[in-house]
Short mmCIF file of all heavy atoms in Angstrom, two decimals:
data_model
loop_
_atom_site.label_atom_id
_atom_site.label_comp_id
_atom_site.label_asym_id
_atom_site.label_seq_id
_atom_site.Cartn_x
_atom_site.Cartn_y
_atom_site.Cartn_z
N ILE J 224 141.01 317.13 -4.14
CA ILE J 224 141.49 318.25 -4.93
C ILE J 224 142.87 317.98 -5.54
O ILE J 224 143.18 318.49 -6.60
CB ILE J 224 141.51 319.54 -4.08
CG1 ILE J 224 140.10 319.92 -3.67
CG2 ILE J 224 142.17 320.69 -4.81
CD1 ILE J 224 139.18 320.31 -4.80
N ASP J 225 143.71 317.15 -4.94
CA ASP J 225 145.06 316.94 -5.44
C ASP J 225 145.09 316.48 -6.89
O ASP J 225 145.78 317.08 -7.72
CB ASP J 225 145.83 315.96 -4.56
CG ASP J 225 146.14 316.54 -3.19
OD1 ASP J 225 146.11 317.77 -3.06
OD2 ASP J 225 146.41 315.76 -2.28
N SER J 226 144.37 315.42 -7.23
CA SER J 226 144.40 314.95 -8.62
C SER J 226 143.74 315.95 -9.55
O SER J 226 144.15 316.12 -10.69
CB SER J 226 143.73 313.58 -8.74
OG SER J 226 142.37 313.64 -8.38
N LEU J 227 142.73 316.64 -9.07
CA LEU J 227 142.07 317.65 -9.91
C LEU J 227 143.00 318.81 -10.23
O LEU J 227 143.01 319.30 -11.35
CB LEU J 227 140.82 318.18 -9.23
CG LEU J 227 139.62 317.25 -9.24
CD1 LEU J 227 138.47 317.87 -8.46
CD2 LEU J 227 139.19 316.97 -10.66
N THR J 228 143.75 319.26 -9.25
CA THR J 228 144.64 320.39 -9.51
C THR J 228 145.73 320.02 -10.50
O THR J 228 146.17 320.86 -11.28
CB THR J 228 145.26 320.94 -8.20
OG1 THR J 228 145.92 319.89 -7.52
CG2 THR J 228 144.20 321.55 -7.31
N ILE J 229 146.15 318.77 -10.51
CA ILE J 229 147.16 318.32 -11.47
C ILE J 229 146.63 318.43 -12.89
O ILE J 229 147.35 318.84 -13.80
CB ILE J 229 147.59 316.86 -11.17
CG1 ILE J 229 148.34 316.80 -9.84
CG2 ILE J 229 148.42 316.28 -12.31
CD1 ILE J 229 148.56 315.39 -9.32
N PHE J 230 145.36 318.09 -13.09
CA PHE J 230 144.77 318.05 -14.43
C PHE J 230 143.88 319.25 -14.75
O PHE J 230 143.33 319.34 -15.85
CB PHE J 230 143.96 316.77 -14.59
CG PHE J 230 144.80 315.53 -14.53
CD1 PHE J 230 144.83 314.76 -13.38
CD2 PHE J 230 145.58 315.14 -15.61
CE1 PHE J 230 145.62 313.61 -13.31
CE2 PHE J 230 146.37 314.01 -15.55
CZ PHE J 230 146.39 313.25 -14.41
N GLU J 231 143.74 320.18 -13.82
CA GLU J 231 142.79 321.29 -13.99
C GLU J 231 143.01 322.06 -15.29
O GLU J 231 142.06 322.30 -16.05
CB GLU J 231 142.86 322.25 -12.81
CG GLU J 231 141.92 323.43 -12.96
CD GLU J 231 142.00 324.42 -11.81
OE1 GLU J 231 142.84 324.25 -10.90
OE2 GLU J 231 141.21 325.37 -11.83
N GLN J 232 144.23 322.48 -15.58
CA GLN J 232 144.45 323.32 -16.75
C GLN J 232 144.17 322.56 -18.05
O GLN J 232 143.59 323.12 -18.99
CB GLN J 232 145.88 323.88 -16.77
CG GLN J 232 146.06 324.95 -17.84
CD GLN J 232 145.05 326.09 -17.71
OE1 GLN J 232 144.92 326.72 -16.66
NE2 GLN J 232 144.31 326.37 -18.78
N VAL J 233 144.54 321.31 -18.09
CA VAL J 233 144.29 320.51 -19.29
C VAL J 233 142.78 320.33 -19.50
O VAL J 233 142.29 320.40 -20.63
CB VAL J 233 144.99 319.14 -19.21
CG1 VAL J 233 144.79 318.34 -20.48
CG2 VAL J 233 146.47 319.31 -18.94
N ILE J 234 142.05 320.15 -18.40
CA ILE J 234 140.59 320.04 -18.50
C ILE J 234 140.00 321.36 -18.96
O ILE J 234 139.12 321.39 -19.82
CB ILE J 234 139.98 319.59 -17.16
CG1 ILE J 234 140.43 318.17 -16.81
CG2 ILE J 234 138.45 319.67 -17.21
CD1 ILE J 234 140.08 317.72 -15.41
N ARG J 235 140.51 322.47 -18.43
CA ARG J 235 140.03 323.79 -18.85
C ARG J 235 140.27 324.04 -20.34
O ARG J 235 139.52 324.76 -20.98
CB ARG J 235 140.71 324.90 -18.04
CG ARG J 235 140.22 325.03 -16.63
CD ARG J 235 140.93 326.19 -15.92
NE ARG J 235 140.51 326.30 -14.55
CZ ARG J 235 139.39 326.91 -14.14
NH1 ARG J 235 138.59 327.45 -15.02
NH2 ARG J 235 139.08 326.95 -12.86
N ASP J 236 141.31 323.43 -20.88
CA ASP J 236 141.66 323.62 -22.29
C ASP J 236 140.84 322.75 -23.25
O ASP J 236 140.93 322.92 -24.47
CB ASP J 236 143.15 323.34 -22.51
CG ASP J 236 144.05 324.39 -21.85
OD1 ASP J 236 143.56 325.50 -21.56
OD2 ASP J 236 145.24 324.08 -21.63
N LEU J 237 140.04 321.84 -22.70
CA LEU J 237 139.20 320.99 -23.56
C LEU J 237 138.13 321.85 -24.23
O LEU J 237 137.63 322.81 -23.65
CB LEU J 237 138.54 319.89 -22.74
CG LEU J 237 139.45 318.79 -22.22
CD1 LEU J 237 138.69 317.90 -21.23
CD2 LEU J 237 140.02 317.96 -23.36
N PRO J 238 137.74 321.49 -25.46
CA PRO J 238 136.68 322.25 -26.14
C PRO J 238 135.34 322.06 -25.42
O PRO J 238 135.03 320.96 -24.95
CB PRO J 238 136.64 321.65 -27.54
CG PRO J 238 137.33 320.35 -27.45
CD PRO J 238 138.26 320.41 -26.29
N VAL J 239 134.57 323.14 -25.31
CA VAL J 239 133.26 323.07 -24.67
C VAL J 239 132.12 323.31 -25.66
O VAL J 239 130.96 323.32 -25.28
CB VAL J 239 133.14 324.05 -23.47
CG1 VAL J 239 134.08 323.65 -22.36
CG2 VAL J 239 133.37 325.47 -23.91
N ASP J 240 132.48 323.47 -26.93
CA ASP J 240 131.48 323.78 -27.95
C ASP J 240 131.06 322.56 -28.78
O ASP J 240 130.34 322.69 -29.76
CB ASP J 240 131.99 324.88 -28.88
CG ASP J 240 133.29 324.50 -29.59
OD1 ASP J 240 133.96 323.54 -29.14
OD2 ASP J 240 133.63 325.16 -30.59
N ARG J 241 131.52 321.38 -28.38
CA ARG J 241 131.18 320.15 -29.09
C ARG J 241 131.38 318.95 -28.17
O ARG J 241 131.98 319.08 -27.11
CB ARG J 241 132.03 319.99 -30.34
CG ARG J 241 133.53 319.87 -30.04
CD ARG J 241 134.35 319.57 -31.28
NE ARG J 241 135.77 319.60 -31.04
CZ ARG J 241 136.48 318.60 -30.50
NH1 ARG J 241 135.88 317.50 -30.10
NH2 ARG J 241 137.78 318.71 -30.33
N SER J 242 130.87 317.81 -28.60
CA SER J 242 131.10 316.58 -27.83
C SER J 242 132.57 316.19 -27.95
O SER J 242 133.17 316.33 -29.01
CB SER J 242 130.25 315.44 -28.38
OG SER J 242 128.90 315.65 -28.09
N LEU J 243 133.10 315.71 -26.86
CA LEU J 243 134.49 315.26 -26.87
C LEU J 243 134.60 313.89 -27.53
O LEU J 243 133.66 313.11 -27.51
CB LEU J 243 135.04 315.21 -25.44
CG LEU J 243 135.10 316.54 -24.71
CD1 LEU J 243 135.57 316.33 -23.27
CD2 LEU J 243 136.00 317.52 -25.43
#
Side-chain angles (χ1 to χ4, degrees):
I224 296 295
D225 291 340
S226 62
L227 285 177
T228 55
I229 293 169
F230 295 102
E231 178 182 4
Q232 190 55 55
V233 183
I234 295 170
R235 285 182 182 278
D236 291 340
L237 290 171
V239 294
D240 60 342
R241 62 174 173 80
S242 290
L243 297 176

